[in-house]
Amino acid sequence: MERSLHQFLAVAETGSISAASKQLNVTQPTITVNIKNLEDKHQVELFERSSRGMRLTSFGSILYEKTRVMARLETQASQEIENLRTGERESIGVGCGHAWWDLFVYDSIEMLKSDLPNASIYVENGSNLNCMWKLLADEIIVSVGHHIRNLVPGISAEFIPLFKAKDAYYVSSDNPILSKECATEDLLNLRWISSAPKDRRYSEILLDTDSENYEKIFNPSGSPSYSSNSILTCADMVKRSGGYTVYPIDMRDSFAELGLIPLSINSPIDSQQVGIYYLSERRNEPALQKLLNSITICAERYASSIARPKQL
């Protein structure tokens, strides 16, 4: 990819020419000239310039999304060439939420062994936003989790729906609140334990961070929360603090082993779509197709086993 496009990406992602200069070890005047050349070439302004930094225009956003895909393709090609040159095994990265790993993603990886017996598998567990970030960074090739609202237009991630799932509020098995049917107001005095820690990076892939809406739903009191990427740490925090956490109801059996029980609540959380994200430019890769097929089969098998409604 042209140097000017690499520099354009750096400016778009850091928000300033000086920051991009330090990141790339290139002089500021060089970057300024190359950005100006790109603008002259396309006959548009790519950035809005202000004292607060550089912000992409609508024209710049188009170039940014396409250039980011080009950069990923360049990285993928370099890695494949290096693997072939050194004889290194193919590595496949899979991202998924904690709930789906045990319920059907593990089975899909076991199924994949017969199709790709020499491939190494890396699994990234975490929130759907964390896995989306890893997907766009080309660290994984699929992400299994909830559908993400408000993704920035132009992100080259496609979504295959699998089934719908409901979340539940989980508390410690000895929490006295379990003795009754609860309302949202009953959560006001309990601390919320979030399994999706905030990360400023997510603002780059969402029209808004979506965290405010998320917190209003799951943390109605607005009180300070605890958070962790670790499911074991979240469970421990719930038990130690007397608080609650929100996970899919499908985790009921697994959480029972950790000492957590779902609340009976008169205002249940709406169902959300669960599915698979992958990058458009990888669509025709044989390894991706085999992985998508194995995940889809195992997810359908799981959904059927609990009489879950399929996506219409």
Side-chain angles (χ1 to χ4, degrees):
M1 192 167 70
E2 295 179 7
R3 290 181 183 177
S4 60
L5 291 176
H6 277 294
Q7 293 166 13
F8 166 76
L9 274 180
V11 174
E13 291 173 351
T14 62
S16 76
I17 289 177
S18 60
S21 172
K22 292 177 182 178
Q23 182 184 96
L24 300 175
N25 195 27
V26 176
T27 65
Q28 292 187 42
T30 298
I31 295 178
T32 300
V33 168
N34 284 332
I35 295 297
K36 183 64 168 63
N37 287 340
L38 282 174
E39 291 181 323
D40 290 344
K41 175 182 177 180
H42 295 288
Q43 300 180 34
V44 295
E45 288 191 355
L46 299 173
F47 292 98
E48 295 176 358
R49 297 159 172 83
S50 72
S51 58
R52 292 178 294 179
M54 309 272 283
R55 183 176 181 179
L56 289 168
T57 64
S58 57
F59 301 111
S61 294
I62 293 172
L63 183 61
Y64 174 65
E65 294 305 330
K66 303 305 180 186
T67 304
R68 188 161 61 172
V69 171
M70 290 167 61
R72 286 201 301 262
L73 288 171
E74 185 177 65
T75 300
Q76 292 165 16
S78 296
Q79 186 61 58
E80 288 179 24
I81 290 171
E82 180 65 11
N83 289 347
L84 182 60
R85 185 183 69 81
T86 61
E88 186 173 333
R89 288 184 174 184
E90 180 178 18
S91 180
I92 296 174
V94 179
C96 65
H98 295 286
W100 317 123
W101 164 250
D102 187 50
L103 297 176
F104 64 86
V105 175
Y106 173 77
D107 290 339
S108 70
I109 290 175
E110 285 295 296
M111 178 183 293
L112 194 66
K113 283 182 178 179
S114 60
D115 290 327
L116 298 170
N118 296 318
S120 298
I121 306 294
Y122 162 71
V123 177
E124 174 77 27
N125 278 136
S127 69
N128 55 352
L129 288 180
N130 174 68
C131 288
M132 174 57 72
W133 183 266
K134 298 287 186 179
L135 182 72
L136 294 173
D138 215 30
E139 295 181 26
I140 57 178
I141 66 171
V142 298
S143 172
V144 181
H146 289 109
H147 182 259
I148 302 173
R149 299 175 298 171
N150 299 332
L151 274 177
V152 171
I155 284 183
S156 58
E158 299 189 22
F159 184 75
I160 300 174
L162 295 173
F163 53 76
K164 289 188 175 182
K166 284 189 176 183
D167 283 334
Y169 298 95
Y170 289 89
V171 298
S172 176
S173 58
D174 59 1
N175 193 313
I177 199 173
L178 285 168
S179 63
K180 63 175 184 176
E181 182 177 74
C182 300
T184 304
E185 292 74 21
D186 292 309
L187 303 175
L188 294 177
N189 296 321
L190 302 181
R191 185 181 292 272
W192 176 44
I193 315 300
S194 172
S195 61
K198 293 181 180 179
D199 193 316
R200 287 181 297 178
R201 298 177 303 172
Y202 301 154
S203 63
E204 298 178 18
I205 62 175
L206 299 174
L207 292 175
D208 57 58
T209 61
D210 212 28
S211 60
E212 291 185 5
N213 293 332
Y214 185 78
E215 289 199 22
K216 285 179 182 177
I217 296 172
F218 297 138
N219 186 25
S221 69
S223 60
S225 63
Y226 292 151
S227 64
S228 174
N229 275 322
S230 165
I231 189 172
L232 294 178
T233 301
C234 281
D236 189 53
M237 286 177 171
V238 169
K239 289 185 285 190
R240 289 173 181 262
S241 69
Y244 66 94
T245 191
V246 180
Y247 271 93
I249 191 64
D250 303 66
M251 293 287 287
R252 180 193 286 110
D253 293 342
S254 296
F255 267 7
E257 296 177 4
L258 298 176
L260 302 187
I261 305 294
L263 284 175
S264 174
I265 194 161
N266 61 15
S267 53
I269 304 169
D270 292 339
S271 297
Q272 297 183 65
Q273 186 67 57
V274 175
I276 316 168
Y277 278 105
Y278 66 93
L279 296 179
S280 303
E281 66 261 25
R282 286 188 176 272
R283 184 184 301 117
N284 297 320
E285 294 182 8
L288 173 64
Q289 288 300 320
K290 291 174 181 178
L291 181 56
L292 292 176
N293 182 61
S294 66
I295 293 175
T296 300
I297 289 173
C298 291
E300 290 179 349
R301 184 183 300 158
Y302 167 69
S304 297
S305 72
I306 58 172
R308 180 186 300 285
K310 294 184 179 179
Q311 172 70 9
L312 299 178

